[in-house]
Short mmCIF file of all heavy atoms in Angstrom, two decimals:
data_model
loop_
_atom_site.label_atom_id
_atom_site.label_comp_id
_atom_site.label_asym_id
_atom_site.label_seq_id
_atom_site.Cartn_x
_atom_site.Cartn_y
_atom_site.Cartn_z
N PRO A 869 -18.77 -10.18 76.37
CA PRO A 869 -19.96 -10.71 75.70
C PRO A 869 -19.75 -12.11 75.11
O PRO A 869 -20.70 -12.78 74.73
CB PRO A 869 -20.23 -9.69 74.59
CG PRO A 869 -18.90 -9.04 74.34
CD PRO A 869 -18.19 -9.04 75.66
N ARG A 870 -18.48 -12.56 75.04
CA ARG A 870 -18.22 -13.91 74.55
C ARG A 870 -17.49 -14.72 75.61
O ARG A 870 -16.95 -14.16 76.56
CB ARG A 870 -17.41 -13.88 73.24
CG ARG A 870 -16.04 -13.30 73.37
CD ARG A 870 -15.32 -13.19 72.02
NE ARG A 870 -14.00 -12.59 72.17
CZ ARG A 870 -12.91 -13.26 72.53
NH1 ARG A 870 -12.96 -14.56 72.74
NH2 ARG A 870 -11.76 -12.63 72.65
N VAL A 871 -17.47 -16.01 75.42
CA VAL A 871 -16.82 -16.91 76.39
C VAL A 871 -15.30 -16.81 76.22
O VAL A 871 -14.78 -17.01 75.12
CB VAL A 871 -17.29 -18.37 76.19
CG1 VAL A 871 -16.54 -19.29 77.15
CG2 VAL A 871 -18.80 -18.47 76.41
N VAL A 872 -14.61 -16.50 77.29
CA VAL A 872 -13.15 -16.40 77.29
C VAL A 872 -12.63 -17.23 78.46
O VAL A 872 -13.15 -17.14 79.57
CB VAL A 872 -12.68 -14.94 77.42
CG1 VAL A 872 -11.15 -14.86 77.44
CG2 VAL A 872 -13.24 -14.09 76.27
N GLY A 873 -11.60 -18.02 78.21
CA GLY A 873 -11.03 -18.86 79.25
C GLY A 873 -10.01 -18.13 80.10
O GLY A 873 -9.61 -16.99 79.80
N PHE A 874 -9.57 -18.80 81.16
CA PHE A 874 -8.58 -18.25 82.09
C PHE A 874 -7.53 -19.31 82.40
O PHE A 874 -7.87 -20.49 82.56
CB PHE A 874 -9.27 -17.82 83.40
CG PHE A 874 -8.31 -17.51 84.51
CD1 PHE A 874 -7.68 -16.28 84.59
CD2 PHE A 874 -8.00 -18.49 85.47
CE1 PHE A 874 -6.76 -16.01 85.61
CE2 PHE A 874 -7.09 -18.23 86.48
CZ PHE A 874 -6.47 -16.98 86.56
N LYS A 875 -6.28 -18.89 82.51
CA LYS A 875 -5.21 -19.82 82.87
C LYS A 875 -4.34 -19.21 83.96
O LYS A 875 -3.82 -18.09 83.81
CB LYS A 875 -4.36 -20.16 81.64
CG LYS A 875 -3.18 -21.11 81.94
CD LYS A 875 -2.48 -21.51 80.65
CE LYS A 875 -1.18 -22.26 80.91
NZ LYS A 875 -0.49 -22.66 79.67
N ALA A 876 -4.20 -19.93 85.07
CA ALA A 876 -3.30 -19.55 86.15
C ALA A 876 -1.97 -20.27 85.95
O ALA A 876 -1.95 -21.49 85.83
CB ALA A 876 -3.89 -19.93 87.50
N ALA A 877 -0.89 -19.52 85.91
CA ALA A 877 0.42 -20.13 85.66
C ALA A 877 1.47 -19.55 86.57
O ALA A 877 1.50 -18.34 86.81
CB ALA A 877 0.83 -19.91 84.20
N GLY A 878 2.33 -20.42 87.09
CA GLY A 878 3.41 -19.98 87.95
C GLY A 878 2.99 -19.95 89.40
O GLY A 878 2.15 -19.15 89.79
N GLY A 879 3.52 -20.86 90.19
CA GLY A 879 3.26 -20.84 91.62
C GLY A 879 2.13 -21.73 92.10
O GLY A 879 1.87 -21.80 93.30
N VAL A 880 1.43 -22.40 91.17
CA VAL A 880 0.38 -23.35 91.58
C VAL A 880 1.06 -24.72 91.68
O VAL A 880 1.26 -25.40 90.68
CB VAL A 880 -0.80 -23.38 90.58
CG1 VAL A 880 -1.92 -24.27 91.10
CG2 VAL A 880 -1.33 -21.96 90.33
N LYS A 881 1.43 -25.10 92.90
CA LYS A 881 2.30 -26.27 93.07
C LYS A 881 1.64 -27.45 93.79
O LYS A 881 2.12 -28.57 93.70
CB LYS A 881 3.55 -25.86 93.86
CG LYS A 881 4.41 -24.82 93.15
CD LYS A 881 5.62 -24.44 93.98
CE LYS A 881 6.44 -23.34 93.34
NZ LYS A 881 7.01 -23.70 92.04
N THR A 882 0.57 -27.19 94.53
CA THR A 882 -0.05 -28.24 95.33
C THR A 882 -1.55 -28.31 95.07
O THR A 882 -2.14 -27.37 94.53
CB THR A 882 0.16 -27.99 96.83
OG1 THR A 882 -0.56 -26.79 97.20
CG2 THR A 882 1.64 -27.83 97.17
N VAL A 883 -2.15 -29.40 95.48
CA VAL A 883 -3.60 -29.54 95.36
C VAL A 883 -4.30 -28.44 96.15
O VAL A 883 -5.30 -27.88 95.71
CB VAL A 883 -4.07 -30.94 95.84
CG1 VAL A 883 -5.59 -31.03 95.86
CG2 VAL A 883 -3.50 -32.03 94.94
N MET A 884 -3.72 -28.08 97.31
CA MET A 884 -4.31 -27.01 98.10
C MET A 884 -4.29 -25.68 97.33
O MET A 884 -5.28 -24.93 97.34
CB MET A 884 -3.56 -26.85 99.43
CG MET A 884 -4.24 -25.94 100.41
SD MET A 884 -3.41 -25.87 102.01
CE MET A 884 -3.80 -27.50 102.63
N ASP A 885 -3.16 -25.39 96.67
CA ASP A 885 -3.09 -24.19 95.82
C ASP A 885 -4.19 -24.24 94.75
O ASP A 885 -4.93 -23.27 94.56
CB ASP A 885 -1.74 -24.10 95.09
CG ASP A 885 -0.56 -23.84 96.00
OD1 ASP A 885 -0.77 -23.30 97.10
OD2 ASP A 885 0.57 -24.19 95.60
N ALA A 886 -4.27 -25.36 94.06
CA ALA A 886 -5.25 -25.52 92.98
C ALA A 886 -6.67 -25.34 93.51
O ALA A 886 -7.51 -24.67 92.86
CB ALA A 886 -5.10 -26.88 92.32
N SER A 887 -6.95 -25.89 94.68
CA SER A 887 -8.30 -25.80 95.27
C SER A 887 -8.73 -24.36 95.46
O SER A 887 -9.90 -24.01 95.21
CB SER A 887 -8.34 -26.52 96.62
OG SER A 887 -8.15 -27.90 96.46
N ASN A 888 -7.80 -23.51 95.88
CA ASN A 888 -8.13 -22.10 96.09
C ASN A 888 -8.55 -21.42 94.79
O ASN A 888 -9.49 -20.62 94.77
CB ASN A 888 -6.94 -21.36 96.71
CG ASN A 888 -6.67 -21.79 98.13
OD1 ASN A 888 -7.58 -22.16 98.87
ND2 ASN A 888 -5.41 -21.76 98.54
N TYR A 889 -7.85 -21.75 93.70
CA TYR A 889 -8.20 -21.17 92.40
C TYR A 889 -9.53 -21.74 91.89
O TYR A 889 -10.35 -21.01 91.32
CB TYR A 889 -7.08 -21.44 91.38
CG TYR A 889 -5.88 -20.55 91.59
CD1 TYR A 889 -4.84 -20.94 92.43
CD2 TYR A 889 -5.79 -19.32 90.97
CE1 TYR A 889 -3.74 -20.12 92.65
CE2 TYR A 889 -4.69 -18.49 91.17
CZ TYR A 889 -3.68 -18.89 92.02
OH TYR A 889 -2.60 -18.06 92.23
N LEU A 890 -9.73 -23.03 92.07
CA LEU A 890 -10.98 -23.65 91.62
C LEU A 890 -12.18 -23.06 92.36
O LEU A 890 -13.22 -22.80 91.75
CB LEU A 890 -10.92 -25.17 91.84
CG LEU A 890 -9.88 -25.93 91.00
CD1 LEU A 890 -9.79 -27.38 91.45
CD2 LEU A 890 -10.20 -25.84 89.51
N GLN A 891 -12.02 -22.81 93.66
CA GLN A 891 -13.11 -22.23 94.44
C GLN A 891 -13.41 -20.80 93.99
O GLN A 891 -14.58 -20.41 93.82
CB GLN A 891 -12.76 -22.23 95.93
CG GLN A 891 -13.91 -21.76 96.84
CD GLN A 891 -15.15 -22.63 96.69
OE1 GLN A 891 -15.11 -23.83 96.89
NE2 GLN A 891 -16.27 -22.02 96.31
N LEU A 892 -12.35 -20.02 93.77
CA LEU A 892 -12.53 -18.63 93.33
C LEU A 892 -13.22 -18.58 91.96
O LEU A 892 -14.14 -17.78 91.75
CB LEU A 892 -11.17 -17.94 93.27
CG LEU A 892 -11.16 -16.46 92.86
CD1 LEU A 892 -12.01 -15.62 93.82
CD2 LEU A 892 -9.73 -15.93 92.82
N ALA A 893 -12.78 -19.44 91.05
CA ALA A 893 -13.38 -19.47 89.71
C ALA A 893 -14.85 -19.90 89.78
O ALA A 893 -15.70 -19.35 89.06
CB ALA A 893 -12.60 -20.42 88.80
N THR A 894 -15.15 -20.84 90.65
CA THR A 894 -16.54 -21.28 90.82
C THR A 894 -17.39 -20.13 91.35
O THR A 894 -18.50 -19.89 90.88
CB THR A 894 -16.62 -22.48 91.79
OG1 THR A 894 -15.83 -23.54 91.27
CG2 THR A 894 -18.05 -22.97 91.95
N ASP A 895 -16.86 -19.41 92.33
CA ASP A 895 -17.60 -18.29 92.93
C ASP A 895 -17.93 -17.21 91.91
O ASP A 895 -19.01 -16.63 91.93
CB ASP A 895 -16.80 -17.66 94.08
CG ASP A 895 -16.67 -18.59 95.29
OD1 ASP A 895 -17.42 -19.59 95.36
OD2 ASP A 895 -15.81 -18.31 96.15
#
């Protein structure tokens, strides 16, 4: 019911890795 953030840590090493997480979070 309240706004809570998310942090991905460990193993995100490239822009391609980051893009996958950004797309999933957007979806």
